[in-house]
Amino acid sequence: MAPLHIGLLGAGGIARAHLPGWLALGARVSVYTVDGSAEKLTAEYAGHGHDVRTAAGLDDVLDTVEAVDICTPTPTHKELALAAVAAGRHVVCEKPLALTAHDAGEIATAADAAGVRLHPAHVVRYFPAYAAMREAVVRGDLGELAVLRFTRGGARPQWAPWFGDPAQSGGVIMDLMVHDIDIARWIAGDVVRVHARTRGAERATGTPADVVTATAVLTHASGAVSQVSGLWGLPDQQFRTTFRVAGADGLLHHDSTAVPGFRITAQGVRAANEGIPSSPMTESPYLAELREFAASWAPGGPEPRVSAHDGVAAVRIAEAAVESSRTGRVIEIERTGQTEEAAR
């Protein structure tokens, strides 16, 4: 069987987390960037027996690969994903899928019409603590869910200027909190109402650091309530995630700083404040998600734990939270025809 041939778009921090996963799966990887940074990334791996090369252009990638892995800034996701889908390629796309639910839905609809897979890379579903928590909920260990709390925070991203511009990144809610928004929906089901608030100025990266915090309260169709909090802090802010999930029969909690199975790693040369959460006590969550995605491409292959609809739903909820934070209003979310139960 011929090895997978993957087109990796981007060579920044998350691309450096995805590339080792593809190589561990025995894939050939063609890397393409518009700024020439692909050559540096491929050079780091090519000398170690890996089949990694720099692609001359996007058409060169789309003409030859089986799937495209989009690890570029969020504003480029839609154009690149639609180009890959039009070429008949499966698509892995970093979160968020797009900056608006309309654009995310357009990508998902195009992929469905073309008969290709669209995989939003919500990697937190593959971190052991979160996966174990979901399994406990599905087993019924906690009984009927009541209140869920999620936090995620670290230093304000400084390694790329687009992070600091909410028009490009969506700010702390869309870029950071979308992880836990997705987890909350995965655990407690569809969200019907959102109220959010942001404190601090979201200003261009490269300006003096400012602390930005946001909190979103999500009301689920089940009646459960989730509180999701995010923090972009000062340069010395330690990265930390937590959750507390309470049900009628029990409580589960987790703190990434209290367990040894969590750390921040960097691949290659690390820019200021650039780090990728990882779990050294298990296999890479990035490898786990990419393996699951690739397995689904075979006829009759298993369904991954994250779907295109999940990616669209996460953007829809995050977009509502951004709007609520901007206006101070509670935002109602219309349930679509593709609603899914938390424990499907």
Side-chain angles (χ1 to χ4, degrees), residues 2-341:
L4 293 171
H5 188 184
I6 303 298
L8 180 63
L9 307 185
I14 200 63
R16 290 174 174 272
H18 282 211
L19 180 55
W22 289 122
L23 296 177
L25 295 175
R28 297 167 53 207
V29 181
S30 296
V31 184
Y32 173 67
T33 62
V34 297
D35 61 2
S37 57
E39 294 184 1
K40 179 180 178 182
L41 179 60
T42 57
E44 293 176 17
Y45 286 89
H48 299 281
H50 299 298
D51 193 350
V52 184
R53 70 177 185 92
T54 301
L58 182 60
D59 288 343
D60 180 39
V61 173
L62 298 180
D63 287 346
T64 58
V65 303
E66 183 174 356
V68 170
D69 186 352
I70 300 172
C71 294
T72 55
T74 302
T76 68
H77 288 181
K78 179 182 176 181
E79 180 181 358
L80 293 173
L82 290 178
V85 166
R89 309 307 178 197
H90 301 300
V91 175
V92 178
C93 185
E94 256 307 313
K95 59 79 205 165
L97 199 52
L99 285 172
T100 68
H102 177 272
D103 285 353
E106 186 176 338
I107 300 168
T109 298
D112 186 59
V116 297
R117 291 278 191 170
L118 172 63
H119 304 288
H122 285 286
V123 73
V124 176
R125 294 192 182 201
Y126 297 84
F127 273 74
Y130 292 82
M133 180 258 288
R134 171 75 183 332
E135 291 171 2
V137 170
V138 170
R139 285 194 306 267
D141 295 355
L142 304 186
E144 183 178 358
L145 295 183
V147 177
L148 303 84
R149 291 187 172 90
F150 303 90
T151 72
R152 182 171 303 267
R156 186 166 69 103
Q158 293 285 319
W159 59 90
W162 64 273
F163 280 109
D165 182 357
Q168 297 188 69
S169 69
V172 69
I173 293 175
M174 185 67 75
D175 187 77
L176 180 70
M177 290 166 56
V178 72
H179 280 299
D180 294 301
I181 286 171
D182 174 66
I183 293 296
R185 178 179 166 276
W186 191 42
I187 300 303
D190 288 324
V191 173
V192 297
R193 189 174 302 110
V194 180
H195 188 210
R197 186 172 185 182
T198 302
R199 292 179 178 272
E202 299 201 77
R203 58 182 67 174
T205 302
T207 59
D210 193 11
V211 173
V212 178
T213 64
T215 297
V217 177
L218 317 178
T219 302
H220 299 267
S222 66
V225 175
S226 292
Q227 182 189 67
V228 179
S229 298
L231 163 69
W232 275 349
L234 297 176
D236 60 351
Q237 179 72 46
Q238 182 182 16
F239 186 83
R240 180 188 184 194
T241 70
T242 72
F243 65 70
R244 292 178 66 87
V245 178
D249 299 329
L251 170 70
L252 280 177
H253 59 89
H254 168 71
D255 185 334
S256 66
T257 62
V259 296
F262 184 91
R263 67 184 178 192
I264 300 298
T265 62
Q267 292 77 27
V269 178
R270 175 173 169 167
N273 294 333
E274 180 177 356
I276 302 296
S278 68
S279 178
M281 295 183 68
T282 63
E283 75 172 8
S284 163
Y286 302 95
L287 169 58
E289 77 169 343
L290 296 177
R291 179 192 291 115
E292 194 170 282
F293 293 162
S296 74
W297 302 340
E303 288 295 319
R305 71 190 69 174
V306 56
S307 68
H309 175 60
D310 294 329
V312 176
V315 172
R316 180 177 294 110
I317 298 165
E319 186 179 24
V322 171
E323 177 69 6
S324 175
S325 177
R326 185 183 69 83
T327 63
R329 296 188 294 110
V330 173
I331 305 298
E332 304 286 339
I333 299 179
E334 183 179 351
R335 299 179 72 181
T336 70
Q338 292 180 290
T339 56
E340 296 172 286
E341 296 300 322

